[in-house]
Amino acid sequence: MTIGAILAVVCALTLSWSAEALSYHDRRHCRTDGCVTQAGCVPRYSQYSTAIYCPQRCVIERCRSVENEPQPRVCHRITSVATGQTLAALDSYDRRGDQRYASLVNPHSGERDRWNLIVGPGNYYYIQNSDTREYLRAAENNYLYLVASRPTDESFLFKPDLVQGSWWCVLLQSVCYRGFIFAEQYNGGSRGFAMMTRDLDRCYRESLWSISSVNC
């Protein structure tokens, strides 16, 4: 073995030992002895009583890994570009049956207007309400209903068409019925529902949606 090779091995071993020693040093200083009290695990000498009498010891972790920090779950808010109202799961029922319509509410009303966009077959999306866990389902009568059961067919799937490549302006098309979700308003705009249309020439602006990320 040449002198250069020997030096390389020695340097590698030295660096490895240094890294392990540093890692051990860091881990050692992240922990401290504690005593179990009614207030939980407290530092060993933080109180007179624990300094004198410590029947049950514990370990206090002073260093928290970023990987262990709980990450906020991301949901989405689906807002009509035309009306500014958001898609929500309200208790609006179809009189002809026991199905609930997909409704529109004023922004920041807190009316169950957060959604999960779940990738499904063909890279299309299931749209699930984050609060009620119901899925959006297109119907043959051009209504959109909220269904508690798991998706079973293409009537639950929607294809996003990003206008100019942005989620801030999206067309949402039913994979099954080929209609586009649009905002339909009633009573002078105080109430609204999400329905479907194939006539984009007439309802193009009402069919545009802005999808933004929010914490669940």
Side-chain angles (χ1 to χ4, degrees), residues 15-178:
L15 289 173
S16 176
W17 178 85
S18 299
E20 290 179 1
L22 181 61
S23 176
Y24 173 77
H25 177 78
D26 290 342
R27 289 196 302 269
R28 185 184 62 186
H29 284 274
C30 280
R31 293 185 172 189
T32 185
D33 289 335
C35 282
V36 177
T37 67
Q38 291 182 346
C41 186
V42 300
R44 175 77 167 83
Y45 297 100
S46 63
Q47 303 173 7
Y48 177 78
S49 59
T50 59
I52 299 298
Y53 181 65
C54 183
Q56 184 177 354
R57 295 192 178 188
C58 54
V59 176
I60 300 173
E61 289 282 355
R62 295 186 299 183
C63 305
R64 292 189 301 173
S65 171
V66 175
E67 296 177 352
N68 294 330
E69 290 290 333
Q71 298 296 322
R73 196 160 57 91
V74 176
C75 291
H76 297 87
R77 186 166 282 131
I78 304 174
T79 305
S80 169
V81 172
T83 68
Q85 294 176 310
T86 59
L87 189 67
L90 296 185
D91 293 328
S92 301
Y93 287 90
D94 186 346
R95 295 179 181 178
R96 295 164 295 182
D98 196 25
Q99 293 179 297
R100 291 167 57 211
Y101 294 119
S103 304
L104 297 175
V105 298
N106 291 327
H108 309 297
S109 62
E111 296 285 352
R112 295 178 288 191
D113 62 348
R114 294 170 299 183
W115 301 84
N116 301 316
L117 298 182
I118 304 170
V119 179
N123 287 328
Y124 302 133
Y125 287 85
Y126 298 114
I127 302 177
Q128 182 192 42
N129 188 269
S130 175
D131 296 299
T132 67
R133 317 306 293 177
E134 294 170 304
Y135 289 89
L136 202 64
R137 184 181 188 183
E140 191 175 5
N141 61 2
N142 289 330
Y143 281 95
L144 292 164
Y145 295 105
L146 297 164
V147 180
S149 60
R150 294 181 62 84
T152 55
D153 53 45
E154 288 188 342
S155 64
F156 290 90
L157 286 172
F158 296 89
K159 174 187 175 183
D161 184 2
L162 277 60
V163 179
Q164 297 180 349
S166 172
W167 285 94
W168 289 100
C169 195
V170 185
L171 292 167
L172 294 171
Q173 185 180 28
S174 167
V175 173
C176 183
Y177 297 106
R178 316 305 297 172

Side-chain angles (χ1 to χ4, degrees), residues 193-208:
F193 296 98
M195 299 183 66
M196 288 193 305
T197 181
R198 293 186 181 182
D199 190 358
L200 286 183
D201 291 334
R202 182 181 178 184
C203 304
Y204 181 74
R205 181 170 172 77
E206 290 78 8
S207 301
L208 294 175

